[in-house]
Amino acid sequence: AQRVTQPEKLLSVFKGAPVELKCNYSYSGSPELFWYVQYSRQRLQLLLRHISRESIKGFTADLNKGETSFHLKKPFAQEEDSAMYYCALKGASGSRLTFGEGTQLTVNP
Amino acid sequence: DTGVSQDPRHKITKRGQNVTFRCDPISEHNRLYWYRQTLGQGPEFLTYFQNEAQLEKSRLLSDRFSAERPKGSFSTLEIQRTEQGDSAMYLCASSRDLVTGELFFGEGSRLTVL
């Protein structure tokens, strides 16, 4: 079974502060991990995937297989980063994405 | 707008009625997914199609739920004999065969069962 846990439902930071959104997963094989984001009144969209090892909008995420984590980080949060963030896992054998419950990030001015 | 479109955007129905949602994926996308999302939860997988073949169904998809994708283009999700617990946002997403993990979502169809 595959499971994704996002321990924080709400996260609030001030503009310019570092931000880390936590994601832990449970999967017996080699997973692919993703972060999806939903801005206010917009549809859910891909932010980044671990295999790309890229920085998108200043966000990065490193897959830590030892800790089974895929935390999302940004050194200096911006107000436009305020959104709902979902961590998602895709197992090697299937096509489905399993999503976490999401973290609502609010960046205050 | 050439993204994934869903219809209707909102549906209010009485318990026991049947409802049908339609999803039009991005035209060159072979894979189509249905997810359900309730308040405070992440999207939960329901089913997916590759072309017209329904390849995987979640145990969440009870026998009151049926999905089709005739001719591998648009898809419909029907819920028969709706119950109040069916109230949720029903999300459709599509992707290309060779692109793993990037799902393109529609805006969703919100169902309220009274």
Side-chain angles (χ1 to χ4, degrees):
Chain A
Q2 50 197 59
R3 182 180 176 90
V4 177
T5 303
Q6 294 180 248
E8 302 143 326
K9 280 200 174 290
L10 302 171
L11 185 61
S12 182
V13 300
F14 286 103
K15 176 183 173 181
V19 62
E20 180 178 69
L21 290 83
K22 292 184 167 51
C23 171
N24 291 92
Y25 67 89
S26 174
Y27 184 69
S28 56
S30 294
E32 294 179 43
L33 274 296
F34 308 85
W35 278 98
Y36 277 74
V37 61
Q38 187 167 25
Y39 300 102
S40 179
R41 300 188 189 86
Q42 294 188 28
R43 55 189 76 190
L44 193 57
Q45 60 187 286
L46 178 68
L47 178 64
L48 57 78
R49 70 193 87 182
H50 90 269
I51 57 174
S52 299
R53 301 187 66 82
E54 57 193 346
S55 172
I56 303 293
K57 299 184 178 183
F59 284 98
T60 58
D62 291 318
L63 179 59
N64 186 323
K65 292 187 177 181
E67 295 183 357
T68 60
S69 68
F70 187 57
H71 303 328
L72 183 68
K73 301 176 184 179
K74 185 169 182 177
F76 307 103
Q78 302 299 313
E79 289 180 68
E80 55 266 29
D81 296 328
S82 295
M84 180 68 86
Y85 291 81
Y86 294 97
C87 183
L89 177 153
K90 176 181 172 298
S93 60
S95 183
R96 67 164 71 182
L97 279 183
T98 298
F99 288 86
E101 295 185 344
T103 298
Q104 177 67 52
L105 173 66
T106 302
V107 181
N108 300 296
Chain B
D1 187 349
T2 57
V4 177
S5 62
Q6 293 187 242
D7 183 71
R9 296 288 312 283
H10 304 274
K11 178 71 176 178
I12 300 173
T13 191
K14 293 183 178 179
R15 189 178 57 182
Q17 298 295 304
N18 299 343
V19 296
T20 299
F21 301 113
R22 175 180 170 124
C23 171
D24 286 89
I26 294 171
S27 59
E28 65 268 25
H29 286 185
N30 295 324
R31 294 185 174 187
L32 185 147
Y33 304 77
W34 285 100
Y35 281 81
R36 180 174 68 186
Q37 186 172 25
T38 53
L39 196 62
Q41 301 295 316
E44 295 175 294
F45 172 81
L46 292 178
T47 188
Y48 101 92
F49 293 83
Q50 183 165 333
N51 299 312
E52 66 275 11
Q54 189 174 18
L55 297 185
E56 191 174 354
K57 294 198 301 184
S58 164
R59 282 172 288 181
L60 291 175
L61 213 64
S62 77
D63 55 5
R64 295 185 299 105
F65 287 69
S66 62
E68 296 182 341
R69 193 183 182 198
K71 303 179 183 177
S73 57
F74 71 92
S75 175
T76 57
L77 176 69
E78 182 183 15
I79 309 174
Q80 296 182 326
R81 305 182 303 281
T82 52
E83 301 173 356
Q84 288 185 325
D86 297 332
S87 295
M89 178 73 84
Y90 289 86
L91 296 169
C92 178
S94 69
S95 72
R96 291 182 295 180
D97 265 336
L98 300 180
V99 179
T100 60
E102 182 162 15
L103 301 187
F104 293 82
F105 282 86
E107 294 179 294
S109 293
R110 181 170 295 285
L111 173 65
T112 301
V113 181
L114 302 176

